Amino acid sequence: MPQAGESQISVRREQTRERLREAALEVFAERGILAGSVEEISERAGFTRGAFYSNYGSKDDLCLELLRGLVQTQVGTSLDAIARIGASAVSLDSVAEQAADVFALLQPQDRTRALFLAEIELYAARTPEFTQRYREHERELKGAFADVMRAAVDRVGLAWAVPEAEAAELLGTVHHQFVDTWLLTGEFDKQALERLLRPLLRALLVSR
């Protein structure tokens, strides 16, 4: 059982890591991951460079922790929303509306986080030593997205007409498009998303 002193150290350490994560999000959104330095992140968080390396082995390690945290938050929120959907046979229009609600919850919480998600893709494309680690995370992300999709169709009593991985790829592309549009316009057009999802879901979903 942890002693009181150990518990206090653990709390302080997590507080330090949280401040570093928030500072990194701001720096990466403003300047990009390549341009954002460990020194700048540390200074913005109010720590020394040594404090950064006491908590993270590298900037890449911090990037991946940020990415996992954002995805876990989005997926958890979406699964909670799916659990509140009425578990009964519903019309396709209703399914599309509910799917649009879930997609809205999968959007990043704010512009800073959305910019970070865009930046980390560019960083992976430009940084060969980071590419493989990012691709491994992408596989984890697709698995998490598949969990959301599986929970959604189970909840409304439907099934996928195509392999789940293919459906996830198609819907993931739609999600990506709407994040990009939101970044450029500052607006999330839920009605446009519903119009796009209706024919797509009509092709992808079948009765059990």
Side-chain angles (χ1 to χ4, degrees), residues 80-206:
D80 288 344
I82 288 167
R84 294 192 293 271
I85 294 174
S88 60
V90 289
S91 69
L92 184 62
D93 283 350
S94 177
V95 170
E97 182 180 357
Q98 291 167 344
D101 288 338
V102 172
F103 266 60
L105 292 170
L106 282 168
Q107 306 306 308
Q109 294 171 305
D110 53 47
R111 183 173 175 80
T112 296
R113 284 161 174 75
L115 283 168
F116 167 72
L117 292 174
E119 280 292 336
I120 199 167
E121 285 193 16
L122 291 172
Y123 181 63
R126 292 168 175 155
T127 314
E129 58 270 26
F130 183 70
T131 302
Q132 184 57 39
R133 297 183 70 184
Y134 181 76
R135 287 177 64 85
E136 289 170 3
H137 169 79
E138 268 197 323
R139 286 192 285 271
E140 294 175 16
L141 174 58
K142 287 179 180 178
F145 189 43
D147 289 342
V148 171
M149 292 171 52
R150 192 177 304 116
V153 295
D154 286 348
R155 191 67 179 165
V156 296
L158 298 172
W160 296 110
V162 299
E164 192 175 79
E166 294 179 14
E169 196 75 35
L170 285 168
L171 292 172
T173 300
V174 172
H175 174 251
H176 204 296
Q177 174 190 333
F178 273 80
V179 171
D180 288 348
T181 301
W182 176 57
L183 269 177
L184 293 172
T185 66
E187 297 178 357
F188 178 75
D189 191 339
K190 182 172 175 287
Q191 290 183 335
L193 178 56
E194 286 181 33
R195 288 194 298 271
L196 181 61
L197 285 174
R198 282 192 193 99
L200 185 57
L201 292 175
R202 188 174 286 113
L204 292 176
L205 292 172
V206 294

Side-chain angles (χ1 to χ4, degrees), residues 2-39:
Q3 300 298 313
E6 293 175 353
S7 178
Q8 289 174 354
I9 291 171
S10 178
V11 169
R12 286 201 301 271
R13 182 178 179 83
E14 181 51 37
Q15 289 172 342
T16 299
R17 291 170 72 90
E18 177 61 24
R19 284 169 61 183
L20 286 167
R21 289 193 294 267
E22 287 300 317
L25 279 172
E26 293 174 3
V27 170
F28 294 155
E30 292 169 11
R31 294 170 43 74
I33 295 174
L34 272 174
S37 66
V38 167
E39 289 77 12

